[in-house]
Amino acid sequence: MTGQGDAATRGRIDWVDAAKGFCIIFVVMMHSTLGVQNAVGEDGWMGLVVEFARPFRMPDFFMISGLFLGLVIDRPWRTYLDRKLVHFAYFYVLWLTVQFAVKAPSMAAETGWPDVAGQYLLAYVQPFGTLWFIYMLPVMFVITKALHERGVPWTAVLAGAALLQILPISTGSVLIDEFCSRYVYFFAGYIFAARAFALAELARNHAVTGVAGLLTWALANGALVFSGLADLPGVNLLLGSAGALAVIVFAALLTRAGLAGWLAHCGKHSIVIYLAFFFPMAASRIVLLKTGLVPDVGTVSAIVTAAGVIAPLVLLWLIQRTDIGWFLFRRPAWARLEPETPRRPVTQAAE
C-alpha cells in the first residue's frame, strides 16, 4: 500500500511540484487576504476564493507531505530523525527568531519586553503564527514511524485518525488541535501514495474525464462551503479528502498541458516561500493600505499575495547569485546528525 511505483524513482515528479506550488500559493493567499480584510474591516472578492479553498487548502498540503514517506520510513532512526525532525527544527528555530526580531519592537511597545521574551519561549510549545506547519510535520513523521515499527495495522491508524478529525477537539493547544484535525490527511498520503500516483496518471491519460471530474467537484465544494455545511462533522473530512485529490488531478492536467512551469517552480521551493513570505506580505500590505494607491480590497489582497510568493523566490535567487545567506534555507553542518550526502531527486521533492 505504501509503494510509490516506478514513476517515483525517475526524479522530481512534475505534478507533485505543481500541487505543492498550488498549495503554498493558496496558503499565502489566505494569510494575505485575511490580513488585508482585517486591517480595513471590509471583505473583498479574494475572500471568496479563500473561503472556497478552506476545506482542502491544508489537507492537500499534508497529504502531499506524506506521499514519499514510504521511501524513507524504514531508514535507521538516526538518519530518519536527521531528515524528518532536526531538518524542520532548525528552520523553525531560525525563522521563529527572525520573525520575533522583526516583530519584537512593536510587541514590546504594547506589552513590554518581558512579555516578548515570554511569548518567544512559549512558541517552543505553542507553535507561533505561520510557522505551525513546519512545527507539526516532524511530529507526524516521528509518530508515523513509531506506529509503523510497532506493527500497528494501517487500517486502525487511519480509522483512528479519521475519528480524531471528525470529533470536535478544541483544547487551545495548536499542536494537539491541528494534529487531530490534519493527521488523517498526512497518513492517507503515506498509505495511499501509489493510488495518488495512479490517479495523476489516469488524469493525464484521460484529460476530458479529469476536467469533468474537476468541474463536478468544484460545484459540489462551492455549494457546501457557501451554504455553511462544509464544517459539519464528516462533511469537512469528505471535502478535505476530495479537495486534496482534486488538486492532484488539477496539477496532473496542468503538467500534461505544459502549463505548470511556474507553479512547479513555486512547489520546488515551497519551503522557501513558506518560511519567508511573512515579511513581504506584511510590508506590501502596509504600503498599499497607507498610500491608498489601490482602492479595491480584493485587488490589494491579490497584490499582497503576489508579493508574498515572489519576494522569497527573489531572495533565493540573490542567495544563489551571491552564495551568501544559504543558512536561511539550507542547514549548516553543525545542525545535522549526519553529514550531508547527495540525495536522490525524489527525496528532494519530498523534503
Side-chain angles (χ1 to χ4, degrees), residues 22-86:
F22 180 91
C23 291
I24 192 59
I25 290 172
F26 269 73
V27 168
V28 175
M29 182 189 300
M30 175 194 67
H31 289 287
S32 300
T33 301
L34 297 182
V36 170
Q37 292 182 167
N38 290 337
V40 302
E42 178 184 342
D43 293 342
W45 56 267
M46 282 283 285
L48 298 175
V49 182
V50 169
E51 185 65 11
F52 175 84
R54 181 167 54 86
F56 63 88
R57 178 177 49 242
M58 293 311 298
D60 188 62
F61 223 158
F62 279 102
M63 184 176 288
I64 294 295
S65 297
L67 281 182
F68 294 94
L69 181 55
L71 298 175
V72 299
I73 198 167
D74 289 317
R75 289 181 178 178
W77 268 105
R78 182 181 175 86
T79 302
Y80 189 84
L81 291 176
D82 179 62
R83 299 289 177 85
K84 300 302 184 184
L85 191 153
V86 179

